[in-house]
Amino acid sequence: MMCNINKALNEKMGFIMKKRILALAMACVLSFSLCGCLDDLDEYDEYVEDSEDGEYEDKDYEDTSSAGQGGASIIKGLSMSVNDSDGQLVITRENVAEAEKPDDNTWTIFVYLCGTDLESDDGCGTGDFDEMLAAASSENVRFVVQTGGTNEWNMDVDSEKFQRFVVQNGDMELVDEQPLAGMGTTDSLSSFISWGVENYGSEHIGLVLWNHGGGSITGVCFDEMYDNDSLDLTEVDNALYNNLQANGRKFDFIGFDACLMGTVEMANILASYADYMYGSEEMEPGGGWNYTSIGDFLAENSDANGEELGKAVCDSYLQTCIEQDDSDIATLSVIDLSKVDNLLVSFNTFAKNMYDSSQDEATRAEIVRGIEEVDNFGGNNKSEGYTNMVDMGGIVSSAASYADGAEAVTKAIDDAVIYSVSGSTHEGASGLSMYYPLAIQGSNELAMFGKISISPYYLSFVDRQGHGAVTSQAEEEYDDESWFDDEGEWCGAESSDDEYWSYIDEYEQTGESSYITFEQEPDINDEGVFCFKLDDNGYNNASSVSALVYEDVGDDTYIEMGETIDIDADWDTGEFRDAFDGYWLSLPDGQNLAMYIAEITDDYLVYTSPILLNGEETNLRMKRDFDSGEVTVEGAWAGISDDGCASRDIVKIQDGDKITPVFYSYTMDGEDAGAYEGDEFTVSGDIEITYDVMFAGDYLYGFCIDDIYGDYYMTDFVGFNISEDGEITFN
């Protein structure tokens, strides 16, 4: 249950706002008087257990690696140790003599095309085949594609088999068939790569993993015919290792025509198998890469290297996003994988300093608050779900005041990210993301992180946060010695042991965090303002403050309107006051929408709101410009599935679409009352969202204070009324 607010605009607008928000806050309101007193939380646990939104559902990530135990050593062909004198990371990668290759300026791009709903619902795979066929003819360029992973193709492809095609010179030839299997397995990927390199090797070879992505924890290529099973990072590692051993060939590039896979954990794995990585930190629109432009570029520049091709891929991708009016969230980067080891070494040194300095509780709170303000990707809010992928450069920058070595890491990131493109939403993105648990979703998530973490000190930082959540004694109970042997080397035996991380399953959010304490208790003061003041302990353990609003719709039912940014916050003194003006987002027919924060910058806020669009559950994304006050609709995005799979399409709202607002709702005694639906609204022309005074009626308002370990403190709620003329009166 998250209830965070981000401090990004504190100085400019006098409030703070966090990208994470209270998830199902009203579930803890099991009884309240007119002033909103909260007491019993028993029903919250039952609600979370029955939740279908995936936010707290633990996921199983099968470890198929046969490599050695411990930390990043579970990655094949790679060993990591820590110098016992200075804590510096020492990296050794297994060298395999590369097989002889032709010297004829030829390119083969292997595409592992897991069609899933992108094909069965929208024909995106078929569209990319058409793009390959439309590319300029050249004897030096070909695409070799394996199909699978979808219930139905929109072209002459058999969904009941693995089929392999060669696309070249405007022709598409079926060259091989295999029995159907799940595309989210090591064997399936390994078989395609080994077969392809053996039969269609050329001077230059590239590999594209095509499908949905979920980031470093859930991976890529979710197969809808096999329960949405995906390739996690260890499975990708195993498949690539098998190819390197069998064929002795590294790829010129490995790229992801998929969401959220531009991660440093992925780059660490690929550094053993390719020269360059192409990946997006953020979601990719459904159109994805432009294969006509890629083929045309190589037809004209068959002697291009991976860096030059990568720039062409990025530029054509961004141009396609612009043409499709999807460019705001777009990101794509080219990573020089030869620079990754230097990046890991510098980051580990920085992470050690960050870990050491965060022994002080006040510093630890400042670091966590800073990290949680950083640009993140793939939703990370109640309405859309969590990926826990955060910009790597942003993490380093946010903690730079508290840990030496930030400049070295920033330079190493700049050296590794040799080219990148981005839209307006992520102009400051560094080009690489990394895992940070904005909302831990169970021990299996942390177990996967333990296998792929790039630094023992960063791993310990995250682990200590987890222990702090469970024990309420972060420093007294935490012991990091299990990560290191007697000689100071990173053995990490515990990190690769799924049982180790089971401690997080003991964690239970209470809504009454013992870390949050007050000098002045939350109450309405003599001026009629709802406010509170944290004491030193509370300040040193608070990560954010949000305000939640609920509407009384009668019949003993309260609906969650979402969060408001109208808080006067003074982080210097620890004082917080409500500054609610009653303004809310509304459809053209006047219906208020549930309102959650998806993105915040100095110039605008992006809100997300659960809706039914033509009867289908999704989220409406809206951007409010601070200077003009104008609200524009970006479209509808389904968010993150229970499997950790990010939807690619932000669907544009069309004339005639039917929108029904959806709200979380609860009874007075805290029972989940199910989804509460507003009235259906039919779009006519361009949809206009207003930001104006809410409907007249009775409401509740309360503060939620997140601690830095994931629990929160929910204050009493106060009642207020909005009259027909927009006047607000607090009870």
Side-chain angles (χ1 to χ4, degrees):
M1 180 175 291
M2 297 299 159
C3 51
N4 291 326
I5 276 201
N6 196 316
K7 199 165 68 172
L9 302 179
N10 188 25
E11 294 182 359
K12 180 177 179 181
M13 303 189 68
F15 58 77
I16 62 169
M17 177 63 233
K18 245 192 192 148
K19 293 173 187 172
R20 291 189 298 150
I21 59 158
L22 179 66
L24 308 176
M26 198 61 175
C28 67
V29 188
L30 303 179
S31 62
F32 51 83
S33 63
L34 289 178
C35 66
C37 181
L38 309 172
D39 8 56
D40 193 355
L41 292 163
D42 293 341
E43 305 239 353
Y44 168 70
D45 298 327
E46 180 180 348
Y47 183 85
V48 169
E49 290 173 3
D50 295 337
S51 175
E52 295 181 355
D53 67 2
E55 186 174 351
Y56 297 98
E57 178 180 344
D58 201 0
K59 305 179 181 70
D60 290 325
Y61 304 111
E62 180 182 2
D63 172 27
T64 60
S65 175
S66 59
Q69 295 298 305
S73 65
I74 203 165
I75 299 171
K76 287 189 172 179
L78 172 68
S79 66
M80 290 174 145
S81 61
V82 174
N83 188 305
D84 59 358
S85 63
D86 59 10
Q88 181 167 307
L89 195 65
V90 179
I91 301 172
T92 304
R93 295 187 185 271
E94 181 178 329
N95 291 319
V96 175
E98 188 163 6
E100 186 177 351
K101 57 186 179 182
D103 183 16
D104 55 6
N105 290 336
T106 54
W107 269 92
T108 302
I109 297 180
F110 299 99
V111 183
Y112 191 68
L113 204 162
C114 180
T116 199
D117 62 319
L118 293 172
E119 173 60 24
S120 57
D121 291 349
D122 301 315
C124 294
T126 294
D128 282 350
F129 266 118
D130 290 341
E131 290 179 359
M132 296 175 202
L133 288 165
S137 295
S138 172
E139 293 300 321
N140 292 337
V141 183
R142 63 191 170 198
F143 297 93
V144 177
V145 186
Q146 174 166 306
T147 60
T150 186
N151 293 323
E152 183 179 3
W153 288 89
N154 293 276
M155 59 187 298
D156 188 18
V157 173
D158 190 343
S159 63
E160 298 299 321
K161 300 176 182 177
F162 279 158
Q163 292 191 308
R164 293 165 175 171
F165 300 88
V166 173
V167 183
Q168 187 174 27
N169 295 328
D171 292 323
M172 176 175 166
E173 180 185 2
L174 176 63
V175 295
D176 188 54
E177 291 184 332
Q178 296 293 326
L180 187 68
M183 293 194 81
T185 68
T186 292
D187 288 346
S188 293
L189 178 58
S190 179
S191 174
F192 170 60
I193 294 173
S194 297
W195 167 86
V197 173
E198 181 179 352
N199 291 280
Y200 294 96
S202 57
E203 180 180 0
H204 301 287
I205 56 175
L207 172 65
V208 179
L209 300 183
W210 188 108
N211 182 240
H212 292 291
S216 292
I217 300 301
T218 57
V220 67
C221 293
F222 294 76
D223 190 323
E224 72 175 359
M225 300 187 75
Y226 287 84
D227 297 324
N228 250 18
D229 181 43
S230 63
L231 285 163
D232 68 41
L233 269 61
T234 65
E235 290 172 316
V236 174
D237 175 44
N238 292 341
L240 294 171
Y241 185 83
N242 293 343
N243 168 68
L244 190 62
Q245 295 295 313
N247 295 313
R249 286 298 306 272
K250 293 179 68 174
F251 290 92
D252 290 64
F253 79 88
I254 297 174
F256 299 88
D257 193 356
C259 300
L260 299 163
M261 297 310 298
T263 81
V264 69
E265 291 90 356
M266 189 79 258
N268 179 37
I269 288 173
L270 299 191
S272 297
Y273 310 117
D275 297 327
Y276 299 93
M277 179 180 89
Y278 311 159
S280 171
E281 290 187 84
E282 184 56 283
M283 302 171 293
E284 275 196 3
W289 294 8
N290 188 321
Y291 290 90
T292 299
S293 295
I294 293 170
D296 288 349
F297 175 81
L298 290 177
E300 288 288 328
N301 305 277
S302 59
D303 61 343
N305 60 28
E307 176 180 352
E308 293 163 335
L309 174 60
K311 292 178 179 179
V313 171
C314 288
D315 290 340
S316 61
Y317 165 71
L318 182 61
Q319 183 58 39
T320 298
C321 291
I322 292 171
E323 293 170 358
Q324 296 175 348
D325 196 25
D326 280 327
S327 63
D328 284 356
I329 66 167
T331 63
L332 195 62
S333 303
V334 180
I335 312 301
D336 182 347
L337 295 173
S338 70
K339 305 296 179 60
V340 166
D341 286 355
N342 182 58
L343 172 58
L344 302 189
V345 170
S346 62
F347 178 78
N348 183 70
T349 299
F350 167 79
K352 181 181 186 301
N353 294 333
M354 181 175 73
Y355 177 74
D356 289 343
S357 66
S358 65
Q359 305 285 352
D360 174 74
E361 63 175 9
T363 300
R364 181 165 60 251
E366 292 290 349
I367 290 174
V368 172
R369 282 196 283 262
I371 290 175
E372 292 181 354
E373 294 172 11
V374 169
D375 196 5
N376 60 60
F377 310 98
N380 294 309
N381 57 65
K382 172 183 179 178
S383 184
E384 297 173 335
Y386 286 84
T387 65
N388 293 322
M389 299 312 303
V390 180
D391 187 69
M392 183 181 190
I395 288 177
V396 173
S397 177
S398 71
S401 298
Y402 310 99
D404 292 338
E407 282 189 22
V409 186
T410 300
K411 182 180 185 305
I413 293 173
D414 291 342
D415 288 345
V417 182
I418 56 176
Y419 194 72
S420 64
V421 295
S422 62
S424 59
T425 301
H426 298 297
E427 288 180 344
S430 67
L432 279 171
S433 64
M434 68 186 305
Y435 175 80
Y436 179 82
L438 296 171
I440 296 174
Q441 297 167 96
S443 59
N444 289 318
E445 176 176 315
L446 288 180
M448 176 55 69
F449 171 62
K451 295 177 174 70
I452 62 175
S453 176
I454 62 170
S455 161
Y457 294 106
Y458 184 65
L459 181 72
S460 296
F461 182 86
V462 170
D463 185 40
R464 181 175 58 194
Q465 292 300 104
H467 277 279
V470 173
T471 66
S472 298
Q473 301 177 53
E475 282 307 310
E476 290 82 350
E477 299 294 329
Y478 183 64
D479 177 11
D480 62 4
E481 292 182 0
S482 61
W483 306 129
F484 306 95
D485 64 19
D486 292 339
E487 297 179 356
E489 290 194 355
W490 180 22
C491 61
E494 299 287 2
S495 71
S496 63
D497 181 0
D498 291 357
E499 288 300 316
Y500 171 80
W501 300 99
S502 63
Y503 75 80
I504 200 65
D505 295 328
E506 302 172 19
Y507 171 58
E508 181 179 331
Q509 290 174 318
T510 66
E512 299 177 335
S513 170
S514 61
Y515 287 114
I516 303 303
T517 50
F518 302 94
E519 180 177 325
Q520 175 191 324
E521 295 286 338
D523 202 353
I524 297 178
N525 66 14
D526 294 340
E527 301 171 358
V529 177
F530 191 24
C531 58
F532 66 88
K533 183 176 182 179
L534 297 169
D535 62 17
D536 288 344
N537 176 74
Y539 180 88
N540 290 336
N541 285 289
S543 67
S544 63
V545 179
S546 65
L548 282 300
V549 174
Y550 298 85
E551 181 182 3
D552 182 353
V553 294
D555 296 328
D556 188 31
T557 301
Y558 289 79
I559 63 172
E560 183 176 287
M561 300 303 299
E563 63 180 333
T564 171
I565 59 176
D566 297 330
I567 298 175
D568 284 331
D570 189 336
W571 280 95
D572 292 330
T573 64
E575 295 178 272
F576 300 85
R577 301 159 55 97
D578 89 79
F580 185 52
D581 59 6
Y583 276 63
W584 217 258
L585 293 176
S586 302
L587 290 170
D589 64 356
Q591 290 188 87
N592 295 138
L593 295 162
M595 200 167 76
Y596 304 103
I597 302 302
E599 186 70 35
I600 185 168
T601 74
D602 290 339
D603 301 316
Y604 60 82
L605 278 170
V606 176
Y607 298 95
T608 183
S609 177
I611 61 168
L612 298 179
L613 179 62
N614 302 319
E616 299 292 327
E617 294 181 4
T618 187
N619 304 282
L620 189 66
R621 279 196 156 216
M622 300 153 287
K623 179 188 290 186
R624 180 166 69 89
D625 184 87
F626 289 132
D627 291 332
S628 68
E630 182 181 2
V631 180
T632 56
V633 175
E634 294 187 330
W637 185 56
I640 311 300
S641 73
D642 291 354
D643 308 289
C645 172
S647 176
R648 275 173 69 159
D649 274 335
I650 294 183
V651 178
K652 301 302 179 185
I653 304 300
Q654 305 291 331
D655 185 46
D657 281 343
K658 300 182 185 303
I659 295 174
T660 303
V662 178
F663 306 85
Y664 304 98
S665 65
Y666 310 92
T667 64
M668 181 174 287
D669 61 2
E671 293 282 349
D672 171 30
Y676 181 91
E677 296 181 9
D679 297 327
E680 184 177 88
F681 167 75
T682 301
V683 177
S684 178
D686 293 334
I687 183 171
E688 295 184 4
I689 302 295
T690 59
Y691 186 70
D692 209 338
V693 178
M694 303 173 78
F695 270 163
D698 293 320
Y699 297 86
L700 296 173
Y701 178 105
F703 291 112
C704 179
I705 309 160
D706 256 356
D707 70 32
I708 62 175
Y709 302 106
D711 202 356
Y712 65 97
Y713 184 95
M714 196 75 214
T715 71
D716 291 349
F717 281 86
V718 297
F720 68 92
N721 174 268
I722 296 182
S723 66
E724 293 291 343
D725 60 4
E727 182 180 353
I728 300 176
T729 304
F730 278 88
N731 298 326

